[in-house]
Amino acid sequence: MQPILQIQGVSKRYEAHQALDKVSFDVPKGSIFGLLGPNGAGKTSLIRIITQITAPDEGRVLFEGQPLQPHHIKEIGYLPEERGLYKKMKVGEQLVYLARLRGMDKADATQRIKTWAERLDLKAWLNKNVEDLSKGMQQKVQFIATVLHEPKLLILDEPFSGFDPVNANIIRDEILKLREQGCTVIFSTHRMESVEQMCDYIAMINRSRKVMEGSLKEVKARYRSHTYHVEGTGRLLVMSPDFKVLAQAQHGSQFEAEIQLEPQVGPNQLLRYLTDRVEVHNFREKVPSINDIFIQTVTQEAHG
Amino acid sequence: MDKIWLVFQREYLVRVRKKSFIVMTILGPLLMALVMVVPIWLATMSDDTKVVQVLDESGYLKGKLASTHELKFVNVPGPIELAKQIYLNSEDAALLHIPEIALEKPQGIQLYSQKSTSLSMKTALERQIRQELEEVKFANSGINQEVLDKIRTPVNIRTVNLSAEGEKSSDVGVNTGVGFMGAFLVYLFIFIYGAQIMRGVIEEKTSRILEVMVSSVKPFQLMAGKILGIAAVGLTQFLLWIILTSAISTGVASRFDMDRFSDQQIGQTMQGLETDSDVQQAQEIHELFSATQNLNFPLLIGSFLFYFLGGYLLYGALFGAVGAAVDSETDSQQFMLPITVPLILSFIVAQTIIVKNPNGPVAFWMSMVPFTSPVVMMLRMPFGVPTWELLLSMFLLIAGFIGTIWVAARIYRVGILMYGKKVNYRELSKWLFYKG
């Protein structure tokens, strides 16, 4: 299937600062795509190019195989990190205004606003001024404004920052629902736990370059260290060139250990070796979290 | 284009629906009417008649000082010490002491008062005494009142503008007044509505709505919609003011029966008047009236609208750019100054040099430079401006605002997405040449 978005060799320079350096990756249709990177890595610059706020100096962006064009604005919903609303405007009017700017007609917009307001429990507030709303409710309004025109591609920059856990859950469920309906979501964040929960694919940008890309599983597999966590009863004494003990602890008759396999060795060999000597209660592979991978990549780059 | 229209609608409706707009629209003409009417009203209802005690030891003025509406004269007996005592115990306004004086060199006349006297009272007394003494002198030299009246010649120059189309009464006072009014309104409107643009942009910046907006609207469309929307608010207010003011002034005119002084009826009106001074006053009012009527109002209002809009677009774009460059209104001062200086300068110069010589070189050049022309040209308009000058000035103003809008759009485009960065002029000049 054709990717919904293809970034091809995009570079952007501001004065002395290189914001993006030949970044390329594809965003598969119907996925939740995590765009990761530390602050100042170039995420926002890239998003501003995708949303056509700025243009790239080099390279191009394809939307469904077509070079980006002004009419694509209708197909994209964007929730920026720096987001707000007109404080002195009524919630309903404001949503209609933002929807019309994205090319919807008034009647359509009003109808969909009603549906969304009911879904997110905002119906009583449509006639209130934005400044009378709590921050959480304002964020719901912003979310509605982003998805109202039923975009094919949704770009959310730090969507959960500032949400309380309850509202964050509501929004997460809505995002998952939208994905089921065929919407593609790009998540820009440096909060890794939400990436782990939601993303199918990720790309990481560090210091204006893409440093990693792939499906979540692939990336994790790539960063496997063949390390296993073992717990059990007995006294473990590993004396084999095939295994390397990274850490070990003894609590009375209980032990806990982290053991790394040498490249040619499989986990079953370790298990067999263990069951001959101790009673194993718990045996699992230590998979690196996205957080670990993120920190590892960023610090490596910084030193190398 | 339809996006500019959407932005325009929002900017317009949000402002027109505000309570402050409605209040100002109604109060504006009332305040202006008050400013004009109150001083007149105060003058007519001036304080009660003041009593002046007169001790005349010279004998020239006995019974000759005529009491008027403002001043009433009462003779008191001397000597002066006694008169002072009596005066101190009275509540009268003043005591006028005229000692024995030589007609040739009247000296030693004194006015005693418990509170300090007003200048108008002093001049009124000086005038009366001078007149009386002169009359005595005339009589002494054998000139009687009849001869004197024949000699006295009232002179009043009627100014007429002569052009190929014919003659028109004009009045320097009326022209200055109308020109000043137009210039002041242009100045005021540019300032009020220009500052509104700036505040609007800063508000959008602080409420962090801009990035949402520019992902669906081009920054230029956003700026254009805002500037035009606010201009429409200004024009709406101006239009409502004109309607309300003309309603009020029609009311005032009929209340005071101003038609008496029109060209058609002035002859009839004057016949009905008895005293010379009334006739003269009626003549003066008639001249003001016809000079006002002879002003080319369609041209004045037309050029007012043009210069208001042109000046507003020129300055408004810059105000918008300032709003985009800063994070809060307090930071805007350093950029506001260079924008406001030419505007204020043109208004100050207008009051002095241009009023003295509305067709001189200073006036000419300032009405050509786009930054000063809106105010200065409005002041010159009632005095008659050659058509080529007017057209050139209008052309330059249009070129001027296209230029400032170009500059402003480039600053705006970069500025609205910059947060928390202190900006200086060097930085701004770089923004002009950023690529898309």
Side-chain angles (χ1 to χ4, degrees):
Chain A
M1 195 166 53
Q2 187 187 38
I4 189 162
L5 197 69
Q6 291 158 279
I7 316 268
Q8 301 180 334
V10 166
S11 296
K12 178 84 184 169
R13 226 186 143 71
Y14 294 106
E15 297 270 326
H17 171 63
Q18 183 86 37
L20 291 169
D21 187 6
K22 299 201 180 69
V23 172
S24 304
F25 59 83
D26 291 352
V27 178
K29 202 169 239 167
S31 64
I32 295 185
F33 190 95
L35 182 59
L36 317 181
N39 288 327
K43 284 175 295 172
T44 304
S45 296
L46 183 59
I47 291 176
R48 283 182 182 170
I49 287 170
I50 300 172
T51 50
Q52 300 184 55
I53 292 172
T54 53
D57 296 340
E58 259 176 66
R60 56 178 194 163
V61 178
L62 303 182
F63 188 90
E64 294 187 315
Q66 304 274 318
L68 269 185
Q69 265 164 31
H71 69 85
H72 286 134
I73 285 175
K74 282 185 214 159
E75 315 289 353
I76 298 176
Y78 174 37
L79 185 68
E81 185 176 8
E82 295 283 3
R83 50 189 176 243
L85 296 162
Y86 287 108
K87 293 201 167 53
K88 306 244 178 243
M89 241 178 136
K90 295 215 163 72
V91 173
E93 279 175 14
Q94 179 141 218
L95 285 171
V96 171
Y97 176 58
L98 293 172
R100 290 182 73 191
L101 285 177
R102 291 235 170 221
M104 286 178 74
D105 69 59
K106 205 173 169 180
D108 240 14
T110 318
Q111 193 51 47
R112 287 191 208 168
I113 289 165
K114 250 191 208 161
T115 322
W116 271 104
E118 261 167 51
R119 243 162 102 175
L120 293 184
D121 228 4
L122 274 174
K123 204 157 184 218
W125 298 88
L126 286 182
N127 255 326
K128 293 266 184 349
N129 271 346
V130 170
E131 56 189 349
D132 299 333
L133 266 61
S134 72
K135 209 171 166 223
M137 278 193 279
Q138 287 189 25
Q139 286 180 317
K140 282 185 185 171
V141 176
Q142 285 155 358
F143 182 76
I144 294 176
T146 313
V147 299
L148 201 63
H149 56 294
E150 298 184 347
K152 289 183 187 164
L153 177 65
L154 200 57
I155 302 175
L156 309 172
D157 199 348
E158 296 295 347
F160 300 119
S161 73
F163 271 109
D164 62 66
V166 178
N167 281 326
N169 269 339
I170 294 175
I171 295 300
R172 196 179 51 223
D173 291 347
E174 291 301 333
I175 293 171
L176 292 174
K177 250 185 245 172
L178 284 168
R179 196 257 302 260
E180 274 163 38
Q181 290 161 18
C183 182
T184 310
V185 183
I186 295 181
F187 242 148
S188 161
T189 185
H190 47 246
R191 291 187 30 177
M192 297 304 148
E193 69 277 14
S194 51
V195 175
E196 200 109 30
Q197 281 173 4
M198 298 178 70
C199 291
D200 311 314
Y201 292 87
I202 58 170
M204 191 184 290
I205 296 179
N206 188 33
R207 300 211 269 165
S208 74
R209 287 208 188 88
K210 184 193 78 182
V211 291
M212 184 202 304
E213 180 203 352
S215 75
L216 197 65
K217 272 187 201 151
E218 269 170 42
V219 169
K220 284 192 157 194
R222 214 177 302 151
Y223 280 80
R224 270 167 79 169
S225 55
H226 303 282
T227 306
Y228 291 81
H229 182 88
V230 189
E231 286 172 35
T233 325
R235 203 162 269 278
L236 182 66
L237 196 65
V238 179
M239 302 253 273
S240 161
D242 291 343
F243 318 119
K244 200 163 114 198
V245 179
L246 298 178
Q248 191 172 1
Q250 192 77 36
H251 315 287
S253 60
Q254 303 283 320
F255 75 89
E256 234 182 292
E258 268 166 33
I259 302 168
Q260 194 173 33
L261 309 185
E262 291 303 322
Q264 72 284 0
V265 186
N268 279 353
Q269 279 171 274
L270 172 62
L271 204 51
R272 272 194 291 276
Y273 181 86
L274 288 173
T275 47
D276 289 347
R277 292 164 177 81
V278 289
E279 192 183 316
V280 177
H281 295 161
N282 193 346
F283 182 87
R284 68 182 147 83
E285 183 175 5
K286 255 199 88 170
V287 182
S289 67
I290 287 294
N291 200 33
D292 296 336
I293 297 173
F294 179 83
I295 290 169
Q296 193 187 330
T297 317
V298 170
T299 44
Q300 250 173 24
E301 286 260 315
H303 295 127
Chain B
M1 202 51 211
D2 47 338
K3 284 189 181 170
I4 296 184
W5 172 238
L6 279 171
V7 177
F8 172 91
Q9 278 179 312
R10 191 201 88 87
E11 298 292 338
Y12 181 78
L13 289 176
V14 161
R15 287 187 170 74
V16 170
R17 277 197 221 141
K18 265 193 197 157
K19 278 196 197 81
S20 57
F21 175 82
I22 297 164
V23 169
M24 254 327 274
T25 304
I26 296 169
L27 280 188
L30 284 180
L31 282 176
M32 268 196 208
L34 274 183
V35 167
M36 289 190 278
V37 168
V38 165
I40 300 173
W41 180 62
L42 283 178
T44 52
M45 61 163 275
S46 72
D47 337 271
D48 327 311
T49 312
K50 285 181 182 143
V51 178
V52 178
Q53 301 182 356
V54 181
L55 171 60
D56 179 21
E57 289 169 348
S58 68
Y60 290 125
L61 295 161
K62 199 136 251 163
K64 287 206 174 142
L65 289 172
S67 297
T68 61
H69 188 64
E70 282 92 31
L71 295 175
K72 188 180 175 219
F73 297 102
V74 183
N75 284 315
V76 290
I80 181 67
E81 272 66 37
L82 181 65
K84 280 184 191 166
Q85 282 302 318
I86 295 170
Y87 169 67
L88 274 178
N89 291 329
S90 73
E91 283 180 357
D92 294 345
L95 167 65
L96 179 66
H97 178 221
I98 303 158
E100 296 209 14
I101 45 171
L103 261 186
E104 300 311 318
K105 230 182 167 189
Q107 274 180 339
I109 299 174
Q110 293 199 69
L111 188 67
Y112 300 96
S113 63
Q114 297 179 38
K115 294 167 212 153
S116 36
T117 41
S118 69
L119 187 65
S120 68
M121 183 163 154
K122 182 171 172 266
T123 34
L125 285 173
E126 279 170 351
R127 201 181 58 226
Q128 276 218 31
I129 293 169
R130 196 193 69 226
Q131 266 180 8
E132 295 307 326
L133 292 183
E134 276 174 1
E135 243 156 63
V136 175
K137 280 184 180 174
F138 282 133
N140 288 353
S141 5
I143 302 171
N144 63 18
Q145 193 62 40
E146 226 170 288
V147 179
L148 202 61
D149 285 349
K150 273 187 193 157
I151 294 173
R152 274 200 186 125
T153 328
V155 175
N156 191 355
I157 299 179
R158 178 165 173 259
T159 49
V160 178
N161 271 3
L162 187 61
S163 67
E165 293 103 63
E167 296 177 14
K168 271 181 187 170
S169 309
S170 77
D171 186 290
V172 177
V174 169
N175 285 349
T176 313
V178 170
F180 199 72
M181 188 81 173
F184 182 66
L185 278 178
V186 165
Y187 172 80
L188 201 68
F189 269 55
I190 289 177
F191 246 118
I192 291 177
Y193 292 100
Q196 277 206 23
I197 297 178
M198 187 184 78
R199 234 172 281 131
V201 177
I202 292 178
E203 193 200 322
E204 283 178 331
K205 245 187 125 167
T206 47
S207 68
R208 299 286 192 260
I209 181 87
L210 274 168
E211 194 155 350
V212 178
M213 295 296 294
V214 291
S215 66
S216 38
V217 192
K218 288 218 163 54
F220 182 77
Q221 295 173 320
L222 194 58
M223 187 176 97
K226 182 180 278 298
I227 291 178
L228 295 176
I230 293 175
V233 176
L235 288 178
T236 308
Q237 184 149 66
F238 182 64
L239 202 71
L240 289 172
W241 279 2
I242 287 189
I243 293 171
L244 282 173
T245 311
S246 53
I248 291 175
S249 57
T250 323
V252 170
S254 65
R255 167 85 177 71
F256 290 111
D257 195 10
M258 292 301 272
D259 270 353
R260 284 182 299 168
F261 305 108
S262 67
D263 282 341
Q264 293 78 27
Q265 295 184 30
I266 182 70
Q268 210 183 336
T269 307
M270 296 234 277
Q271 276 176 2
L273 297 173
E274 283 165 13
T275 63
D276 280 355
S277 67
D278 281 355
V279 171
Q280 204 179 332
Q281 267 187 8
Q283 183 68 36
E284 276 168 17
I285 294 176
H286 162 66
E287 270 163 23
L288 279 184
F289 203 69
S290 69
T292 312
Q293 282 192 328
N294 281 331
L295 287 170
N296 188 345
F297 274 108
L299 179 68
L300 279 179
I301 291 180
S303 52
F304 173 83
L305 290 178
F306 179 85
Y307 280 103
F308 160 59
L309 273 181
Y312 164 84
L313 287 174
L314 182 100
Y315 280 103
L318 293 177
F319 275 113
V322 171
V326 300
D327 272 344
S328 69
E329 216 168 328
T330 43
D331 294 342
S332 64
Q333 295 305 330
Q334 57 156 334
F335 298 116
M336 285 284 281
L337 194 67
I339 298 180
T340 49
V341 160
L343 200 56
I344 294 172
L345 185 78
S346 59
F347 195 63
I348 292 172
V349 174
Q351 293 177 60
T352 53
I353 299 173
I354 292 158
V355 169
K356 274 187 202 146
N357 189 0
N359 288 310
V362 176
F364 172 78
W365 286 110
M366 285 186 80
S367 59
M368 289 301 137
V369 176
F371 286 93
T372 51
S373 67
V375 169
V376 173
M377 200 48 127
M378 275 323 289
L379 196 79
R380 291 184 62 199
M381 283 305 290
F383 295 96
V385 176
T387 313
W388 72 269
E389 280 188 27
L390 190 61
L391 290 178
L392 180 60
S393 154
M394 286 180 160
F395 171 77
L396 288 174
L397 183 57
I398 292 173
F401 73 64
I402 290 174
T404 60
I405 286 173
W406 183 84
V407 168
R410 310 204 123 226
I411 294 177
Y412 186 86
R413 188 191 57 169
V414 181
I416 51 177
L417 294 175
M418 288 273 181
Y419 295 114
K421 190 170 177 185
K422 283 269 182 214
V423 176
N424 54 29
Y425 285 103
R426 231 168 66 96
E427 184 80 28
L428 280 189
S429 60
K430 279 186 202 156
W431 291 3
L432 289 184
F433 304 105
Y434 270 5
K435 284 171 287 175

